[in-house]
């Protein structure tokens, strides 16, 4: 079999070649000595396609109650040690106002799969936010029937994040005791059809994951037409069945971020909190390897530590205003600027 070298792979990527395992793997599995060139190339592609602005999304983690039992997640329903909370609709709207006052053009409403938030209750919250503020709304609340997704879209939701987590059928089944890969894919196709700006992504470093598998994830995200792609290292949580797993690394995730930027020059790619949690400079490193989004937390500090999807999560003791200042300084310190406005996805003709 013919193998593609790192340099050949990078040339193909630069030329905008159709994503293919043959050249994605040499990039995703590149030697440490080659990684800086991969990151620099992605950074250049990002600057040329979408410029130096970094969009901030105010993240509201409004409920950590979840009906699912994902093997990797600290919020899984079988984790009896997790102290559960649910913000009221009034609190959620209030948080949104605070996010807007801090200058955020988007709020991300994220939660476990909490059935208390029926389609109607969620729609009410969306309508109230749209009536009382100017922010764009991103939902990140898991799998729901098409009717719910449609209702929320009609209520004014702009975007939806639903990570596929992995497209490998065996890994997906092993870590999702109550989930089905084809159904999750179907949710994403439905969201797309309904006109949401569509976000998905995967975790890096899941047990059994290989560069081939990650490259097939990238190809699948490309076929899906994802417009926002969030990836972070898997960080084992001590109260889950995967507590003894190795987990992902910052370097592995940076390679993935860079490859995603090469494949999706115009996409919104966040420097994720998980990156910042594994490495104090993790988010900056991601921003310098292709990322263009940060999602500072605006969840009330009273409940923030309880949204513990993985251990060592940053910002759990810092209020929203502190995080806004902190992240602004970090962005400017690497020569970038904080972008204003809603930061809708860029759809190239
Ligand atoms: N480590 C890293 N990321 C995790 N997520 C859930 N559990 C973990 C973990 N242990 C990610 C999933 C989910 C997102 C909200 O958080 O990818 O989609
Ligand atoms: Fe629930 Fe999401 Fe955690 Fe799975 S990853 S247990 S659906 S909060
Ligand atoms: Fe929260 Fe730095 S972004 S403390």
């Amino acid at each position: 079999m013919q193998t593609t070298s790192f340099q050949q792979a990078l040339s193909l990527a630069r030329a905008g070649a159709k994503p293919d395992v043959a050249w994605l793997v040499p990039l995703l599995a590149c030697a440490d000595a080659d990684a800086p060139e991969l990151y620099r190339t992605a950074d250049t592609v990002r600057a040329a396609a979408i410029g130096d602005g970094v969009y901030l999304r105010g993240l509201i983690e409004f409920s950590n109650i979840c009906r699912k039992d994902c093997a990797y997640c600290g919020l899984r329903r079988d984790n009896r040690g997790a102290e559960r909370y649910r913000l009221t609709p009034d609190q959620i709207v209030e948080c949104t106002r605070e996010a807007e006052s801090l200058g955020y053009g988007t709020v991300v409403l994220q939660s476990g799969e909490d059935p208390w938030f029926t389609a109607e209750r969620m729609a009410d919250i969306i309508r109230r936010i749209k009536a009382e503020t100017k922010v764009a709304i991103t939902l990140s609340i898991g799998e729901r029937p098409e009717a719910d997704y449609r209702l929320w879209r009609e209520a004014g939701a702009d975007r939806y994040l639903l990570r596929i987590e992995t497209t490998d059928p065996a890994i997906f089944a092993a870590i999702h005791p109550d989930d089905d890969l084809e159904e999750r894919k179907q949710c994403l196709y439905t969201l797309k059809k309904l006109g949401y700006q569509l976000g998905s992504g995967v975790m890096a470093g899941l047990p059994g994951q290989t560069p081939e598998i990650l490259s097939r994830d990238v190809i699948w995200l490309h076929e899906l037409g994802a417009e926002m792609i969030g990836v972070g290292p898997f960080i084992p949580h001590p109260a889950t069945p995967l507590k003894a797993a190795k987990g992902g690394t910052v370097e592995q995730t940076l390679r993935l971020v860079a490859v995603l930027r090469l494949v999706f020059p115009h996409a919104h790619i966040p420097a994720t909190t998980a990156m910042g949690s594994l490495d104090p400079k993790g988010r900056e490193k991601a921003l310098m390897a292709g990322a263009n989004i940060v999602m500072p937390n605006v969840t009330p500090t009273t409940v923030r530590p309880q949204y513990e999807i993985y251990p060592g999560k940053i910002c759990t003791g810092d209020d929203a205003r502190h995080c806004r200042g902190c992240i602004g300084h970090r962005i400017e310190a690497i020569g970038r600027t904080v972008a204003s406005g809603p930061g809708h996805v860029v759809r190239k003709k």
Side-chain angles (χ1 to χ4, degrees), residues 4-23:
T4 310
S5 73
F6 173 77
Q7 288 299 338
Q8 287 168 328
L10 202 55
S11 308
L12 285 164
R14 270 207 210 88
K18 187 163 174 270
D20 190 296
V21 176
W23 64 265

Side-chain angles (χ1 to χ4, degrees), residues 140-174:
S140 177
I141 55 182
E143 294 177 39
R144 292 284 189 131
E146 176 166 349
D148 296 21
Y149 288 156
R150 176 174 288 113
L151 186 69
W152 301 337
R153 181 84 187 105
E154 286 164 0
D158 300 277
R159 314 187 188 124
Y160 207 102
L161 304 177
L162 183 69
R163 288 191 183 171
I164 196 73
E165 314 294 2
T166 177
T167 61
D168 183 80
I171 299 177
F172 190 97

